[in-house]
Amino acid sequence: PLAAVPVDPSALPVAFGLGSGELIRGGDWPDQVWLKAKWSAGGDPMTTQPGDLVTGLIGPISTGDTDVVLVLTVAE
């Protein structure tokens, strides 16, 4: 992952933004990214278990794009 934004699922739907503060390892944003959102019921963001909320991979998204919508579905 390049960046992460923690969100409480009870707050959904929620608007979010990604900036330099969300970059996991610092550095600069690439010109294009692909987004994937996930909420882990078990607390491990690196694995997907049944019951987690996930999106498909969305992109490419260019720096400055707005109105990108991520729809979470229940992982099987």
Side-chain angles (χ1 to χ4, degrees):
L2 175 69
V5 177
V7 173
D8 180 347
S10 67
L12 296 174
V14 64
F16 70 95
L18 294 169
S20 60
E22 286 72 45
L23 289 169
I24 294 172
R25 295 190 172 105
D28 295 323
W29 279 98
D31 291 333
Q32 291 185 326
V33 295
W34 284 257
L35 296 179
K36 184 173 187 177
K38 178 177 177 232
W39 176 78
S40 173
D44 182 357
M46 300 309 290
T47 63
T48 300
Q49 303 293 325
D52 289 353
L53 301 177
V54 297
T55 68
L57 192 59
I58 300 168
I61 297 169
S62 298
T63 301
D65 283 354
T66 59
D67 297 327
V68 176
V69 176
L70 300 172
V71 178
L72 294 160
T73 59
V74 178
E76 296 183 22

